[in-house]
Amino acid sequence: MSGSYNQYPPNYSSPQPGYPPYDQSQGYGQQQGYPPPAPQYGDAPAGYGPPPRTNSYGPPQHGGFQHGQASGQYGAYDSSNPQGHSGYYGSPAPPQDQRGYDPYPQQQPPYGQHQQQQHYQQQQPSYDPNNPHYQQQGYPQQDPNAPYDPNAPEGERGLGGALVGGLAGRFAGKQMGGGHGFLGTIAGAIAGSKLQDKYKEKPHHGSHHGSHHGSSHGGSQWGGNLSNQSTERQIKQWFKPILARFNIHSFDCQKPRNRNYAKITIGDVQLGQKFLDVHGQVHPGRHGFNTVKQKLFHYNRPVNCSESRNGPDQFLLQSLEQKFDQESLAKRRHLPRSSNPGGQRNRRRFQCSMTAVGFIDYSGSDLIVASRGEVAWGGSLFFGRRSALFQFEKETVQQMEVPYSSIQSLIIGNSTKPRLTFSLMESPRFFVKEPDVEDVLTHAFHRLALQPARSHKNPSERRRIMGIDPKHRAIAANSFGYGFIVNPQDIQAILALRTLPGFPEMVQWHVSFLADPAFPTQMSQLNAALSVARFRSLPFAVKFQLQRLAQNGYLSPSRVLQLMQAIKIPFLKADKSVLGAAIRRSSNQIPFAGPGTEPSELSIDSLRKLVIDNYDHILREKEYSRDVTQQYEHIASIYKATATPAGIYLSGPEPEVKNRVLRKYSAFSNYFLQVSFLDEDGEALRHHRGISLTTVYHERFKSILGGNITVCGRPYERFLTDLKFLGFSHSSLRSHTCWFMAPFTWNGELRYAGAVIKDLGDFSAIRSPAKCAARIGQAFSQAFSSVDIPRGAFQRLPEIERLDAHGIRRTFSDGVGAKGMISLDSRLQGDVLRLRPSMIKFEASSTQIEICGAGFKPLPFYLNRQLIKILEDLGVPHQSFLDLQAEAVEQLRITAENPINAGYYLQRNLVGKSARLPWLIRKLSYIGMSFSDDSFLRDTHELAILIQLRELKYRSRIFVERGMTIYGWSTNLGLGFEVNNASGIMDETDFLEENQIYCSVQNAKTGLVLTGRVVITRCPALHPGDVQYVNAVDVPLDSPLRSVQNCVVFSSKGDRDLPSQLSGGDLDGDLYNIIYDDELMPTHISDPADYPTVPAIDIGREVMRPDMTDFFVQFMENDQLARLSTLHQTLADQKPEGVFHPNCIMLAEMCSTAVDFSKTGVPVNLTTMPKSSNVRPDFQAPGPRVLIEEKIKLEDTEAPDEDEDEDEPEETAPALRYYRSEKVLGKLYRAIDEQDFFTEIQRQSRSPSNAHNIGLAEKVWKYVQNKAALIQYEHYLGFARDVKEAYEDNMIDTMLENSSHPTHFVSEVEVFAGALIGKDGAQSKRQREYSTSMKEKHDRDVAYTVQCILQGEEQDFSKAEALERSIACLDVAIHEPRTRARFGRLVSFTWVAAAICLKEIEKFAGI
């Protein structure tokens, strides 16, 4: 029975399951059994570690631990109180007020100002490190000669050895008055007594490698008995106020997980020495500790600090210098970030209870969270820099993480009804921490301040799960509302967070939490209703969109059920394809329930009217627009789904280039479903240290792949049946995408997955799951057209093979003629296609070639970071690269100088080509107008420049005029052969000698035959031998090679074929880069890599469905190519040998294995991967975010926050540090000041005419009226409205389809410019893929819109009255604006119409 549980519990002192009692005098207490927050500066909440104290370091003023530790422990040795004086460890505890600590203060201090800190600051005398008589409160007077207890047990004797340490000074010395030069580290730890004994026996030299259980190895290891569970952040925060007293504010702390030592690196030698003069230990052992002037204690344990015998990490020192400089600069640019008077920091952690999980909706006029039922999970809610984290204990410690980017609205109540509600656009991330028995004991010992054996399991590892419990997992996919009850006294502190940078919008509103026990079953009821006889008349296209409404969270399942009833009768005789499109369009216009939405907007009557209006609009639009599948034969409409850890979300249908399967079954395309396995935000699952994705991959994703996806009662089974796996293309595998299908009847026969596979060919002889999937996947390569080859045209040739000097058999013809390449041989007569055995991958009955592309001209050549680094290490001067980049930047700069330059720049980069934007910009200039007077056109131009600038700065993608990328056209034979042309082919004439190539290129204007010494390479290039010199030669005039254009021809002579020397290339369609620029010629060349062939996994039997499922999951789980490439780039920058360093050579081979993983099934062995730190070169740092609001702007870099990580959850990955790289990539990166460049571009583009009140569009309209004053166009206004409506609807579809998440959308200017903005720098690979598909779709939509305006309703290719139609469209665009829910006013149609209109006026005037 549904009922309100909106009110506060009747009595907060009455315990509720999972939620602590509430006491007005104490605030929120700790949940029983829940581990308290990490201690700060040595203080800890009740029940965890030693008691809080007024000083943040040193032994306790008054004795003992709480919870049964009031007295000293038997046999324990306290080095700070060797004589057993009172007031030391083991003494009776004083009253609470004497300790100055209230575990639950009624008025909590602001974030970062803990009670004990305030007490500490008030009572501590001024600190003078040079005063030998200084006694810090809490530091008892020490007797250097006091004896220790020799009878103390071995394991508890106290201090033994010292943790590695050291001093360092370079940059901070010059900044803060210190010295220069040597920079080292200091470290704090406690050594065990066994280490002490070994320390006496062994010489004290060597390097530090860590310790295990306090033991020493060879006298070179240092150890301590800090708790293994102490975290790096805890140690760092504990040291922060101590070091601050020495004016040390910039330092690094490294505390390995599960280790009992830590290391600190300081930036100034003199300040560090002052620290050691006071707190450092010069001599080893306990007697050495007794000589320390001022002893440090952490959790009642003596902490030793000594100088490291290790040299510091020079890149870490450089990163400290970089950080110091950045903070100094930011402080000069920004005011202090503070939301509270006096500069106090905001508190970010709050005790609360999650009491509602469900859907944001309305009950009458009340905004509610319709919850699955009563829940009460008490815990803490932490607001971080990028996300919120709720942690609670329910059998195990669990966490719910909510990225701020996923929050639609954050709604908070007041002190009377203290509720906090998250309205989300995507499901949160869920984690569990399950300590084993050893971890439990470790935690218990830690609470007793004892030192147990080190746990080998990472105590901070989190396992990603699909939901909080089984009931929640069943609804997590559709639960976008989460409600919390918070402490009434915390309301103002939570509201204060609104001022923090990046914090989501928060509003105060009343939200009720309603228990709805029927909510968990609503989705299953909807699925059942979609398949019953009552709605059987609805076609699949309609039911798909109805299910999508609920499954993607647009409406609750119950509301969709009501909507189905409401539209069933009005649309009995409707065009069902139009109805499906109308529902889909309506979903994009449905507002989110929340404070800014009226309840009536989500009523069934409003929703039904919305569908009817869209239905009518689409009916009218059909007169002026055709389905894309009707316009282009090679395009099919495909339904899609995204599987995430929480749920499955639907999208589409979307246009896709056909492949062999879709071409054959084109009439049944809606029986195919393309499924991508991604994270909740639509991006690939990211691998983070300390997070396990095993459950997601092997339980969640594998169960989907092994079962069915049911949509509208139609079960889509994987292209995996009990017989065979249908597969995926190579590119879709890398994007974690595969195909599902539902059975259908074709030519009187039932077609299911197994039958489709069987028609492709015979794969029974393949014994490798990866290879079998790759072979099947060739049928899923996108192809623009197909050609039938007569079976009699096929001929088979022998391989061209030769033994090299080492006796290894080399195949020179690998890939030619079948998989990858078709080359023209003018000597052959008639229709002949010759194949070699290595190209024949499997047999099939079809002989159809699927054409995937064509190399009509060479592609431009761009450098990238991998290649630049290799060329640098091969002797190419830095200045050569800097000059090329400076030239590219200057080309971008001059585009803003005048409209003519801007127009030609957009034309070269194909921006707005279909909309005639480059021509429009130049035309406006000719008639005395500037495109920069319009914000949308200006933004389009600036966006195009910014994307290119970011490609230069963050990818070093530099154009080389004297270079080319030889691109080929790909095809796919029915026999399973993939055929390409023009990438690279073998010389069949035997003219070319070893190390010679022939390269003839031809475009529309010029031709070129390369001659002389050139550089040839292939991407990805990681090994120094991936770049080689070759001799380019011409061939005789009568050579058959003369007929081969736009490709590189390789010699068939020599010990080893040249393609295999270039990143393991072959002749199956690979692209090759040729450089003939004298400034980029290396001074020396390295021998090419020659990796042993990795054999594909052979399971010894026919490949079955589970084998393919396992491989798909294994690939997703082990796809580490990007990680390895990044590490290679980092180490190549840090090592003096660069890419020649052994670790880089090893990583290059590992990358080769990773590339072949998709075909061999052999993943990279990451255990052999070289170690790395969190210090990276500056050119790998992310850039400022781009905001597209009223104008494009770069988000300011956040002002530094010295303590911003003080209360971050311990599971947060440590922040990366960046140092100033002096290699060429660092110089290229710093040569571009993105902020200054973009500011200058915007200054130039905003001409003084912008101040005029009349907009550019009105100026154009007045010009048109003047030139066409006698033209009558009013009879086309209705036509114009429909064309505009169709264009804008297509624009909205594109904005949604190319977003990373179904509920997000990209901006109109991004669609119009044809490129997505990178979040933190250059575009990601997925964004580049989205940009390509987005541009293709928008170009098709614009081209058809232009055709409609030019040709009119009849579409009879008559352009009569095209001017009248274009004027009508311009009139409607300017004077009849429409504001759309969620999307606002779209404006690009204005400039599409303006370009056509101005062009037609030219014709009319005879210009």
Side-chain angles (χ1 to χ4, degrees), residues 915-1131:
R916 303 179 180 180
L917 178 62
W919 178 88
L920 173 65
I921 288 177
R922 295 195 297 270
K923 178 64 178 180
L924 291 173
S925 177
Y926 295 149
I927 61 178
M929 303 179 195
S930 174
F931 78 95
S932 61
D933 289 350
D934 180 77
S935 60
F936 182 80
L937 294 180
R938 188 172 60 241
D939 285 349
T940 301
H941 176 234
E942 291 175 357
L943 180 63
I945 293 177
L946 180 60
I947 288 174
Q948 292 298 320
L949 184 71
R950 291 196 144 200
E951 290 288 291
L952 285 170
K953 183 174 180 67
Y954 298 103
R955 293 181 64 204
S956 300
R957 190 171 184 267
I958 305 172
F959 173 67
V960 178
E961 185 174 5
R962 295 181 63 80
M964 65 181 70
T965 299
I966 304 298
Y967 178 76
W969 58 276
S970 300
T971 63
N972 191 335
L973 282 177
L975 293 175
F977 313 132
E978 203 176 44
V979 185
N980 294 312
N981 184 24
S983 291
I985 63 174
M986 187 190 68
D987 176 20
E988 300 278 359
T989 68
D990 285 337
F991 174 81
L992 298 176
E993 299 296 331
E994 182 179 7
N995 210 41
Q996 288 185 343
I997 64 169
Y998 171 70
C999 182
S1000 174
V1001 295
Q1002 184 76 39
N1003 55 31
K1005 296 181 180 179
T1006 61
L1008 172 67
V1009 176
L1010 289 181
T1011 57
R1013 191 172 73 158
V1014 299
V1015 170
I1016 188 166
T1017 184
R1018 174 180 168 272
C1019 292
L1022 295 171
H1023 190 278
D1026 290 339
V1027 174
Q1028 294 292 320
Y1029 271 129
V1030 292
N1031 294 315
V1033 300
D1034 200 352
V1035 297
L1037 294 176
D1038 59 349
S1039 172
L1041 296 181
R1042 285 278 179 178
S1043 60
V1044 178
Q1045 302 286 336
N1046 299 328
C1047 70
V1048 55
V1049 183
F1050 293 99
S1051 171
S1052 60
K1053 301 176 182 179
D1055 284 345
R1056 180 180 176 187
D1057 60 301
L1058 182 57
S1060 69
Q1061 302 177 44
L1062 307 174
S1063 301
D1066 54 27
L1067 301 178
D1068 66 351
D1070 292 348
L1071 301 179
Y1072 293 91
N1073 307 120
I1074 298 177
I1075 305 173
Y1076 49 100
D1077 189 327
D1078 292 339
E1079 299 299 320
L1080 296 177
M1081 293 292 122
T1083 60
H1084 56 280
I1085 291 294
S1086 173
D1087 291 336
D1090 192 7
Y1091 307 127
T1093 302
V1094 178
I1097 293 177
D1098 189 337
I1099 61 175
R1101 57 172 172 79
E1102 185 177 350
V1103 176
M1104 305 297 289
R1105 177 183 64 181
D1107 305 318
M1108 228 83 65
T1109 303
D1110 290 345
F1111 168 68
F1112 191 86
V1113 172
Q1114 183 191 26
F1115 184 88
M1116 289 191 291
E1117 188 176 22
N1118 294 280
D1119 186 12
Q1120 300 285 342
L1121 181 58
R1123 177 183 175 187
L1124 293 169
S1125 299
T1126 300
L1127 180 57
H1128 179 277
Q1129 189 178 92
T1130 301
L1131 295 182

Side-chain angles (χ1 to χ4, degrees), residues 46-361:
Y48 190 87
R53 48 190 178 267
T54 57
N55 60 307
S56 64
Y57 50 92
Q61 288 178 277
H62 304 283
F65 294 138
Q66 298 178 359
H67 298 287
Q69 297 186 54
S71 59
Q73 299 191 11
Y74 175 76
Y77 164 69
D78 183 357
S79 61
S80 66
N81 182 20
Q83 303 293 342
H85 297 302
S86 62
Y88 287 79
Y89 179 77
S91 301
Q96 179 176 345
D97 57 352
Q98 288 181 292
R99 294 202 310 262
Y101 179 76
D102 180 0
Y104 303 111
Q106 194 168 30
Q107 297 296 331
Q108 301 185 36
Y111 175 74
Q113 303 295 323
H114 300 285
Q115 289 287 341
Q116 69 278 10
Q117 284 181 264
Q118 294 175 344
H119 209 77
Y120 174 92
Q121 294 167 355
Q122 294 168 2
Q123 297 184 11
Q124 296 303 313
S126 61
Y127 178 62
D128 181 3
N130 299 315
N131 183 358
H133 302 291
Y134 169 76
Q135 275 298 310
Q136 181 182 355
Q137 184 172 1
Y139 264 26
Q141 187 73 28
Q142 303 294 327
D143 181 359
N145 301 314
Y148 70 98
D149 181 5
N151 298 316
E154 279 288 313
E156 299 178 359
R157 215 185 312 164
L159 178 66
L163 181 65
V164 293
L167 280 182
R170 192 174 91 169
F171 83 91
K174 62 186 179 184
Q175 299 290 349
M176 296 182 283
H180 297 270
F182 171 72
L183 199 84
T185 58
I186 59 175
I190 306 175
S193 59
K194 292 184 178 179
L195 171 64
Q196 169 188 342
D197 296 336
K198 292 191 176 184
Y199 187 90
K200 294 177 182 179
E201 301 168 1
K202 295 185 179 283
H204 307 150
H205 63 275
S207 60
H208 168 73
H209 295 286
S211 65
H212 182 72
H213 298 293
S215 65
S216 177
H217 177 69
S220 63
Q221 296 193 5
W222 297 77
N225 64 350
L226 281 176
S227 170
N228 290 339
Q229 281 66 43
S230 294
T231 64
E232 184 172 285
R233 184 172 290 114
Q234 289 174 346
I235 300 301
K236 179 179 179 181
Q237 296 305 322
W238 183 78
F239 260 110
K240 188 174 292 185
I242 303 174
L243 295 174
R245 291 185 172 275
F246 296 86
N247 201 25
I248 298 172
H249 301 286
S250 183
F251 66 95
D252 178 74
C253 176
Q254 295 179 12
K255 200 274 182 185
R257 296 176 184 267
N258 295 326
R259 298 287 181 143
N260 56 0
Y261 61 85
K263 184 169 70 173
I264 291 178
T265 303
I266 296 178
D268 182 87
V269 64
Q270 294 184 1
L271 295 180
Q273 188 59 54
K274 287 183 178 180
F275 173 88
L276 285 183
D277 290 345
V278 177
H279 299 300
Q281 177 174 340
V282 179
H283 303 291
R286 55 187 177 278
H287 295 296
F289 181 74
N290 286 337
T291 63
V292 175
K293 290 182 180 179
Q294 299 295 335
K295 299 176 176 61
L296 299 179
F297 295 83
H298 183 260
Y299 281 99
N300 265 14
R301 296 173 178 273
V303 177
N304 174 266
C305 297
S306 62
E307 184 176 346
S308 174
R309 294 184 299 275
N310 259 12
D313 183 340
Q314 60 172 323
F315 299 106
L316 175 58
L317 305 186
Q318 293 176 28
S319 74
L320 288 174
E321 180 176 6
Q322 179 108 338
K323 181 174 184 289
F324 185 89
D325 292 342
Q326 289 175 345
E327 289 177 349
S328 300
L329 177 63
K331 285 179 178 179
R332 291 194 297 269
R333 288 181 173 179
H334 298 269
L335 294 174
R337 270 178 27 205
S338 174
S339 58
N340 294 324
Q344 295 178 342
R345 299 193 62 230
N346 297 80
R347 186 161 62 93
R348 293 171 177 254
R349 190 182 297 277
F350 305 92
Q351 296 298 312
C352 63
S353 178
M354 182 194 296
T355 58
V357 178
F359 200 86
I360 307 292
D361 210 335

